Amino acid sequence: MKLSLTEKKLRHYLPNFFVTVEGETPLLEKLTPFIEMSEDWIIQTFTSESTFNTILGYMDANLLKPILYRVVVNNALMAAIPTLDLVLTPNGFGIVSNQNIAPASKERVDRLLASLEKERDNAIEQMLLRLPVASKWLKSEQCAYFTATLFPNLSLCRRLAISEHLWEQYQALHPKLVKIESVLAETYFSHEQMNLFREKSLYALTNCHPLMEQVIRSLQSLELMLVSDMNVHTQAFFDLVNIIRENKNVFPQWHASNVAQLYIPKLFSNKKTSGGYWF
């Protein structure tokens, strides 16, 4: 286990209605294998091993560290619950191994799992906001996944009025957006310009030229319509391209791309050798 956890510290990251019945095995001991699996999952999915270890070395005052702990612990408990014997005590859920005590109902356990998932997903959202400043994360495969679209965070789901299962829903939407943006890049905006748009989106459009921010926000709104299977008139994209065409100093990447050539008017050249020569 990479996290420095004690029984007391573990409970700091768990819901305050979770208790261990007196005389039972400490919660940390039961959760240790699940915590280790959760650490591996986060390394492979979100941080990379290098960045994960770097974060663990931060002072507790750095908000990214406690957020990481919240993700690990809540995800570990979600995985562990099906193997634990849960009862409902006056103080909340308890973990026991005495089969003579009536277990908590399935409905109550399901509500507990939903609560843990929500807590975990909220923590993932906060973690992704802060990971860009973590050491070497920008060069990781994990970063490449989240920067493959203009929506590098679970806030994508909130913008679509999705309030449950945020991480699960984000994963379902991600490949659809990758496909949408590939077509938009080849047809209107170029891969070079879209890459810059994604980089700006990763930093929540901070230090972004106002005109570029306007284009990115409009493009994001149009993509949300497309991923929701709503019709979008092509003129909406041409309008954004016109803004880009008229502001070369703000969008030099587009003007240097092959896509820009598609929007250069083909001028007629009157030659004597042409059929239908005009005086």
Side-chain angles (χ1 to χ4, degrees):
M1 184 168 62
K2 294 177 178 290
L3 271 63
S4 298
L5 282 173
T6 61
E7 188 79 12
K8 181 178 180 181
K9 192 170 184 179
L10 171 66
R11 294 185 177 284
H12 175 74
Y13 295 102
L14 289 177
N16 56 14
F17 53 79
F18 217 93
V19 300
T20 302
V21 175
E22 185 177 354
E24 295 297 328
T25 304
L27 182 58
L28 178 58
E29 184 177 331
K30 291 189 174 185
L31 288 186
T32 293
F34 298 97
I35 291 173
E36 291 173 346
M37 288 189 292
S38 185
E39 290 172 340
D40 290 340
W41 173 68
I42 289 169
I43 288 171
Q44 297 300 320
T45 308
F46 299 102
T47 65
S48 80
E49 186 160 11
S50 174
T51 300
F52 187 94
N53 292 334
T54 298
I55 295 171
L56 293 185
Y58 289 165
M59 300 292 290
D60 289 345
N62 186 311
L63 291 179
L64 185 51
K65 184 174 181 179
I67 289 172
L68 178 66
Y69 270 72
R70 281 172 54 203
V71 178
V72 172
V73 170
N74 281 279
N75 187 71
L77 188 52
M78 282 177 61
I81 279 178
T83 70
L84 300 175
D85 296 308
L86 297 180
V87 297
L88 190 63
T89 75
N91 296 319
F93 286 97
I95 300 176
V96 299
S97 57
N98 186 342
Q99 298 301 316
N100 294 322
I101 301 178
S105 68
K106 181 180 183 302
E107 291 75 15
R108 290 183 182 275
V109 173
D110 286 345
R111 285 200 293 271
L112 172 61
L113 284 168
S115 174
L116 292 169
E117 182 186 23
K118 191 169 216 178
E119 178 69 16
R120 181 203 64 179
D121 289 355
N122 288 340
I124 289 173
E125 183 177 2
Q126 292 302 311
M127 180 175 67
L128 289 172
L129 285 173
R130 293 169 171 80
L131 275 175
V133 300
S135 175
K136 300 180 180 179
W137 187 73
L138 294 175
K139 297 181 180 179
S140 69
E141 294 180 5
Q142 290 76 11
C143 175
Y145 173 81
F146 291 101
T147 54
T149 78
L150 294 179
F151 302 91
N153 203 306
L154 273 58
S155 56
L156 161 67
C157 299
R158 302 188 190 282
R159 294 184 64 173
L160 291 170
I162 298 171
S163 58
E164 296 182 345
H165 313 299
L166 298 186
W167 172 236
E168 178 183 330
Q169 293 294 327
Y170 180 87
Q171 292 178 91
L173 290 166
H174 187 272
K176 298 178 183 179
L177 286 166
V178 169
K179 185 175 181 179
I180 287 171
E181 290 189 13
S182 178
V183 174
L184 293 179
E186 293 172 5
T187 310
Y188 303 101
F189 303 105
S190 82
H191 289 286
E192 295 87 344
Q193 191 65 63
M194 287 294 289
N195 285 337
L196 181 59
F197 286 167
R198 295 181 191 116
E199 179 183 330
K200 296 297 183 181
S201 298
L202 180 63
Y203 291 96
L205 305 185
T206 56
N207 299 321
C208 187
H209 189 284
L211 204 54
M212 185 177 293
E213 180 178 349
Q214 175 189 336
V215 170
I216 293 173
R217 290 193 184 281
S218 297
L219 186 52
Q220 286 176 329
S221 296
L222 294 172
E223 286 188 32
L224 291 177
M225 294 174 66
L226 290 172
V227 83
S228 301
D229 297 322
M230 298 174 64
N231 292 325
V232 177
H233 198 287
T234 55
Q235 187 58 48
F237 298 113
F238 286 125
D239 290 343
L240 295 180
V241 170
N242 284 333
I243 294 175
I244 293 172
R245 289 179 63 196
E246 295 168 2
N247 294 275
K248 184 175 182 178
N249 61 317
V250 181
F251 305 96
Q253 290 79 9
W254 184 88
H255 285 269
S257 72
N258 291 332
V259 171
Q261 303 304 311
L262 302 176
Y263 293 87
I264 297 177
K266 304 300 182 184
L267 299 178
F268 173 73
S269 178
N270 192 22
K271 298 179 181 179
K272 290 184 179 181
T273 56
S274 301
Y277 175 74
W278 295 89
F279 291 98

